[in-house]
Amino acid sequence: MTRIGLVVNPVAGLGGRVGLGGTDGPDRARAALSLGARPLAGARAAAALGELAARAGKPPRAGCPAPGSGLLVVTAAGPLGADSVAAAGLAGQVVYAAGAGRDTSAEDTAAAVRAVVAEGVDLLLFAGGDGTARDVLGALGDVPCPVLGVPTGVKMHSAVFAVSPRAAGEVAAAWLARTGNVRLRDAEVMDRDEDALGEGRVTSRLFGWLPVPDVPVRVQQRKTGSTATAPDAVGGIAAEVAERVGAGLLALGPGSTTRAVAASLGADVSLTGVDVLALRPGHPPRTVAREAGEDALLALGPAWIALSPIGGQGFLLGRGNQQISPRVLRAAGGREHLLVLCTEAKLAALGGRPLLLDTGDDALDAELSGHLPVITGRRRTSLYRLAG
Amino acid sequence: MTASHAPVSVSPEEARIAGKPRLRRFQQASWDEKLIFELGSPGERGVLVPAADPSLGMPAIPAALRRAEPPALPEMSQQQVLRHYLRLSQENLGADLNIDVGQGTCTMKYSPKVNDQFVRDPRIAALHPLQDEDTVQGVLGIIHSLEQLLKEISGMDRVSLQPGAGSAAIYTNVAMIRAYFAARGEGEQRDEVITTIFSHPSNAACAKTAGFKVITLHPDADGYPDIEALRAAVGPRTAALLITNPEDTGIYNPRIEEFVRIVHEAGGLCSYDQANANGILGITRARDAGFDLCHFNLHKTFSTPHACGGPAAGACAVTEELAPYLPRPTVELDPETGAYRLDDDRPESVGKMRPFYGVVPNLVRAYAWIMSLGAEGLRAAAETAVLNNNYLLHKVRQIPGVSVPYAAGRPRVEQVRYSWEKLHEDTGLHSEDIGLRAADFGTHYWTSHHPYVVPEPMTLEPTESYTRADLDEYAAILAEIAREAYEDPETVRTAPHRSTIHRVRPQALDDPATWAVSWRAYRRKVLGEAGRR
């Protein structure tokens, strides 16, 4: 019996269609409902479960049990999950119920996550948006439970979501079956920065990382019998960075590729911050600053800045790495000393959309815009468009 | 990415012509056949060679030439061998058996059987590459004539037929580029090669293998390589542009001359990967666009059987300026005596790329194919391939769930990279699922090189070899599978159902710990037997 957790934020996405934006906080959810918004999260969670059931319990021959019969969904009562489990026709176990007669809240999400994870599940599915992802992150604390988001929110800057409910079911099935070398990756939890919003700036902050099943790009059908393992792109990128920097200070922005590159170089870097490494050929890297802010970066004056697109949007600057400010970028020498790191597969997945800049400094955005070499491997770059 | 979802109107006349063909009831043979090494038994013989009559005075085989140990071959009768391989052949799909338009970029055209007769003729088959050149004048003449034909087809000055095709030919061209700049004292400076994401990945791989840094250009909104990116990429470090045109999308780059000019102005060379030449034979020439080098795959464009990592044959063509660097030996004609000779005395040559003078059987096949068609025939083949491709495009784009990214409404050259993205969004099925279900109808298709720039890709290349009925049938198969995908996705998701085997786990092919390309490796890795590595 495979056990999987599900927690639904029933108000996630309510504000989208009625133009209210996110529904963080009960007032906005009520306002959205009064404007005629229809809840979507439950139905989208059910769609994800349906896809999961179709793939997880695939009967290879007649006479086998029905699809999904080997699945037990550990969840919370009513709209917090149980309704979706019933809609998908799966077996559920309810371990949390919200108090009767009141709106559900972020506290309910957190309490439901804790109750579900305490029961022991192989994977926690949650349906919601960035706010829900933050609630899940806070509730999990240090519990190492694999997580996957079913996208139902209005604004999703986080990288913890599958691209669609159906895709969430597919990824979950691959994880539960452990087919195809599925590993976990640390994915960014991001949300709009309310402090900055108060000052009239729309930007997002990085709140942490959640372990998400990483389903690799499907392997193409072979044209010939000869084959080779996919090159270790990250190792190649790391070697290229080390060669370019030589001896000098390298500031690494947050992002899954930069972190993997740091690990490949032998450095232990912080999860969400900007770290500065001192590199010297033939020596292990030395960490000279962890979670450095703008002032610390200006004081150190790193010669090189390495960034990778973050959160699946193609955003390179101005989302989650505001410490690397226009002043820091200019002090480092701008374009010439900016190392953009991204695998070829991730670039292709942008579907032709440019990498995005939002530094808040129009002159700098203009200066950086155009074609920039993106390091995709050892001695390999792709000239890719950056747009402000 | 711009997808073309425009509805296509079909006139009653067209509808009558393109009536829906009946789908064949196909069932692949499944013999559950063991490996040949698991068959037979010790002492079984396939051939019992009688001893020579002593009165003939035949000398014994010298001791130095005898094996110390007999070869570790399976021991079995001729009938068993025949049955084994006939069974395996029935468990295959292939260009001689099915409508093989799904092997996009591979140009799976019909290879005339008469060419095999030429190749099996003892006058070719019994030749040895170490024979004195006086005794192989005929085959040297064929090679020399084929070089002249390919010079005309490409517009170039000199051709070498020694390299293998594909990567071997691209590597040869890259090696010549490297030698050219080294001779001019620019070897250190010019260390960058530019290619595009839709060009064959071998271009980037060969450049890197030869020590160059590789810069990749991505497509612009229309699917052409981004010319602004090219301008940003070129400079004093540019050694060469390696580019395929049309790229695997089937879109011909009309500004190719401009690309060449930009690279030339920066002091670099331009090399044309002509793996997709089948739609432009006799219509465009590499030299006319200003290219310095190009290569053809004789096993794609010129009908010799597809090589699959085996005996490919390629042709590298260059301008006079690069001729000194061609692989050696070259085949030279003495105009005085009319005799052919092999010229090994070429100090600036990049050396040998393959043993001797290339894969002679395939050179003979390519020569026979070109000579049988003539100039008009080559052009007709190209035009028919383009017509076939656009006819299939017209039919496939009507299938629900299919889109045709880039260059909306424009015709393509010899192939198209389609996308099943919409079908995937609607049903959760992937392009690979559709391709595997196609095996239940006696055909298949290939998706795309990695990375998948076109999501959920499918690459179809109908050459000139297929009839309209073939194309109708192939399109009807895809339409039927798309209908199933929407109405009965489980059948597609669990396909194939009528094939020899079910799905393979591709990870096993990617992992050196599990791949086994020899019997010895299979015993060690799969059966877990300890033994010699």
Side-chain angles (χ1 to χ4, degrees):
Chain A
M1 180 63 83
T2 311
R3 300 164 62 81
I4 169 161
L6 174 71
V7 175
V8 175
N9 171 2
V11 300
L14 271 182
R17 299 260 169 92
V18 292
L20 272 185
T23 48
D24 306 56
D27 299 347
R28 299 185 69 123
R30 248 184 252 121
L33 286 166
S34 70
L35 284 170
R38 288 285 153 265
L40 301 166
R44 291 172 75 90
L49 289 178
E51 186 74 21
L52 166 62
R55 288 173 180 274
K58 211 163 50 184
R61 283 178 302 279
C64 284
S69 59
L71 271 178
L72 177 70
V73 187
V74 182
T75 188
L80 293 176
D83 293 352
S84 305
V85 178
L90 292 176
Q93 177 191 349
V94 175
V95 294
Y96 175 82
R102 62 170 175 85
D103 291 334
T104 59
S105 65
E107 287 73 38
D108 287 307
T109 304
V113 166
R114 281 191 291 268
V116 166
V117 172
E119 281 295 315
V121 290
D122 296 320
L123 175 72
L124 172 66
L125 284 176
F126 73 90
D130 283 335
T132 320
R134 279 173 64 188
D135 296 337
V136 171
L137 177 72
L140 278 178
D142 293 332
V143 180
C145 179
V147 172
L148 181 64
V150 180
T152 68
V154 175
K155 50 175 176 58
M156 284 171 294
H157 297 152
S158 302
V160 298
F161 294 98
V163 294
S164 68
R166 228 183 246 290
E170 185 182 352
V171 171
W175 171 249
L176 296 177
R178 301 291 197 282
T179 52
N181 310 331
V182 186
R183 285 182 293 266
L184 291 170
R185 67 184 163 94
D186 284 329
E188 299 91 351
V189 174
M190 304 184 71
D191 199 2
R192 209 161 50 192
D193 187 337
E194 300 297 335
D195 299 344
L197 205 61
E199 299 161 20
R201 286 185 293 121
V202 177
T203 178
S204 54
R205 256 178 70 193
L206 181 58
F207 287 86
W209 307 72
L210 283 170
V212 168
D214 187 16
V215 174
V217 180
R218 297 169 140 256
V219 181
Q220 70 180 58
Q221 301 156 33
R222 304 253 167 258
K223 295 191 82 155
T224 67
S226 66
T227 164
T229 45
D232 177 1
V234 166
I237 293 172
E240 184 66 24
V241 169
E243 183 182 325
R244 292 199 189 197
V245 173
L249 290 184
L250 169 71
L252 282 161
S256 45
T257 310
T258 38
R259 289 187 61 223
V261 163
S264 183
L265 291 170
D268 170 37
V269 293
S270 61
L271 288 181
T272 60
V274 175
D275 289 14
V276 182
L277 304 178
L279 300 188
R280 250 172 80 204
H283 294 76
R286 201 163 46 81
T287 305
V288 295
R290 290 177 76 87
E291 310 209 3
E294 183 189 16
D295 293 344
L297 289 170
L298 285 169
L300 281 168
W304 296 88
I305 293 170
L307 300 171
S308 60
I310 194 166
Q313 321 290 313
F315 261 105
L316 192 67
L317 275 165
R319 293 288 186 277
N321 53 13
Q322 283 82 352
Q323 309 91 313
I324 302 171
S325 65
R327 287 169 65 203
V328 171
L329 284 162
R330 287 184 194 286
R335 236 184 128 96
E336 292 306 305
H337 286 201
L338 187 59
L339 304 175
V340 182
L341 320 179
C342 188
T343 63
E344 198 73 80
K346 273 191 178 174
L347 273 186
L350 288 170
R353 295 191 313 273
L355 293 172
L356 299 171
L357 293 168
D358 182 14
T359 64
D361 176 335
D362 292 347
L364 183 68
D365 284 1
E367 193 182 311
L368 292 175
S369 288
H371 290 93
L372 201 74
V374 174
I375 297 172
T376 56
R378 177 86 176 103
R379 300 171 71 84
R380 289 205 64 168
T381 52
S382 269
L383 271 187
Y384 206 82
R385 222 152 43 82
L386 243 68
Chain B
M1 184 172 299
T2 52
S4 166
H5 288 296
V8 182
S9 60
V10 182
S11 69
E13 174 66 8
E14 278 180 308
R16 191 182 56 77
I17 292 167
K20 197 175 168 187
R22 186 183 65 80
L23 290 178
R24 63 182 75 239
R25 284 178 310 167
F26 172 78
Q27 175 65 57
Q28 185 89 52
S30 178
W31 286 99
D32 198 15
E33 185 74 353
K34 291 178 174 176
L35 296 174
I36 196 160
F37 286 95
E38 298 169 303
L39 299 170
S41 59
E44 266 185 65
R45 301 273 185 103
V47 186
L48 192 58
V49 183
D53 189 320
S55 68
L56 295 171
M58 294 281 286
I61 295 172
L65 296 180
R66 295 189 203 171
R67 299 179 68 112
E69 295 278 329
L73 295 173
E75 298 177 77
M76 52 203 302
S77 69
Q78 279 192 29
Q79 190 198 11
Q80 275 190 294
V81 175
L82 178 72
R83 205 166 57 198
H84 175 74
Y85 283 109
L86 281 175
R87 285 173 175 180
L88 291 189
S89 73
Q90 290 177 3
E91 294 185 332
N92 264 315
L93 292 175
D96 280 352
L97 202 62
N98 62 305
I99 304 169
D100 213 359
V101 306
Q103 195 69 353
T105 86
C106 270
T107 316
M108 302 299 286
K109 65 173 63 179
Y110 174 66
S111 186
K113 296 304 162 201
V114 67
N115 294 355
D116 291 358
Q117 289 184 29
F118 303 143
V119 167
R120 285 199 206 105
D121 186 304
R123 285 169 293 180
I124 296 288
L127 291 179
H128 195 284
L130 288 174
Q131 277 175 244
D132 192 278
E133 58 195 43
D134 295 344
T135 67
V136 288
Q137 286 293 303
V139 80
L140 291 180
I142 288 177
I143 291 173
H144 191 268
S145 301
L146 180 56
E147 286 179 6
Q148 305 314 304
L149 295 168
L150 291 164
K151 271 164 58 175
E152 191 56 42
I153 290 166
S154 63
M156 294 291 182
D157 300 323
R158 283 300 304 257
V159 174
S160 169
L161 297 171
Q162 185 195 73
S167 298
I170 297 170
Y171 186 81
T172 304
N173 281 350
V174 170
M176 286 192 274
I177 290 164
R178 193 175 53 184
Y180 170 86
F181 285 117
R184 295 161 57 102
E186 292 181 83
E188 293 290 310
Q189 174 198 324
R190 295 199 178 267
D191 63 350
E192 290 179 353
V193 160
I194 302 164
T195 185
T196 75
I197 195 86
F198 281 135
S199 292
H200 298 119
S202 285
N203 289 283
C206 291
K208 256 191 85 168
T209 305
F212 288 100
K213 293 175 183 167
V214 178
I215 299 170
T216 306
L217 311 182
H218 283 247
D220 65 15
D222 297 321
Y224 302 123
D226 189 334
I227 198 161
E228 292 311 316
L230 177 72
R231 288 190 220 277
V234 295
R237 306 186 69 164
T238 303
L241 170 71
L242 309 183
I243 195 163
T244 313
N245 190 35
E247 290 180 316
D248 285 355
T249 52
I251 301 170
Y252 191 85
N253 180 357
R255 299 169 79 178
I256 193 70
E257 235 176 328
E258 207 177 334
F259 274 65
V260 171
R261 200 182 63 242
I262 290 168
V263 174
H264 279 171
E265 281 169 1
L269 295 170
C270 293
S271 186
Y272 193 161
D273 172 348
Q274 299 222 248
N276 295 345
N278 202 49
I280 53 178
L281 291 176
I283 298 167
T284 68
R285 305 199 309 173
R287 184 62 175 281
D288 298 342
F291 279 92
D292 308 288
L293 314 86
C294 71
H295 90 270
F296 294 101
N297 296 334
L298 300 183
H299 67 270
K300 286 180 192 267
T301 318
F302 297 97
S303 100
T304 74
H306 217 273
C308 283
C316 287
V318 297
T319 58
E320 199 57 60
E321 209 177 1
L322 285 146
Y325 311 106
L326 282 168
R328 62 184 172 81
T330 53
V331 178
E332 304 290 345
L333 169 64
D334 183 337
E336 300 289 314
T337 62
Y340 298 97
R341 62 181 186 84
L342 295 169
D343 181 8
D344 241 323
D345 182 23
R346 300 180 64 82
E348 293 186 275
S349 163
V350 294
K352 280 190 184 297
M353 287 293 158
R354 270 192 108 110
F356 310 111
Y357 30 95
V359 182
V360 166
N362 281 345
L363 302 183
V364 172
R365 287 185 176 103
Y367 175 74
W369 191 74
I370 296 172
M371 291 301 283
S372 68
L373 285 172
E376 309 79 13
L378 286 185
R379 188 175 174 122
E383 287 172 347
T384 309
V386 174
L387 181 64
N388 270 356
N389 184 45
N390 285 286
Y391 178 77
L392 189 66
L393 168 64
H394 173 75
K395 301 215 48 146
V396 171
R397 74 155 24 122
Q398 297 175 59
I399 297 172
V402 174
S403 62
V404 188
Y406 305 125
R410 299 197 38 195
R412 304 290 169 114
V413 184
E414 86 306 356
Q415 66 188 316
V416 179
R417 181 150 296 158
Y418 302 87
S419 174
W420 289 104
E421 188 178 22
K422 183 170 188 316
L423 182 134
H424 168 66
E425 284 168 5
D426 294 343
T427 67
L429 294 167
H430 289 281
S431 177
E432 286 89 347
D433 298 321
I434 310 281
L436 288 170
R437 176 60 174 154
D440 288 333
F441 296 90
T443 185
H444 77 112
Y445 69 73
W446 178 73
T447 51
S448 157
H449 292 293
H450 273 267
Y452 284 0
V453 180
V454 169
E456 302 298 335
M458 160 175 78
T459 311
L460 307 182
E461 181 182 8
T463 65
E464 69 278 7
S465 303
Y466 296 92
T467 64
R468 191 159 69 184
D470 288 338
L471 302 178
D472 288 342
E473 181 182 348
Y474 193 86
I477 290 168
L478 291 182
E480 171 66 11
I481 300 170
R483 186 193 63 76
E484 286 178 338
Y486 282 100
E487 294 173 15
D488 175 21
E490 201 55 25
T491 294
V492 180
R493 197 195 316 283
T494 53
H497 306 284
R498 301 194 289 261
S499 194
T500 302
I501 55 167
H502 197 57
R503 300 191 175 198
V504 292
R505 282 187 59 247
Q507 293 79 18
L509 302 175
D510 275 338
D511 185 354
T514 50
W515 71 43
V517 294
S518 69
W519 169 238
R520 193 177 290 163
Y522 177 79
R523 284 167 65 187
R524 182 162 45 82
K525 295 177 182 178
V526 181
L527 305 179
E529 294 176 19
R532 283 187 309 173
R533 293 191 69 83

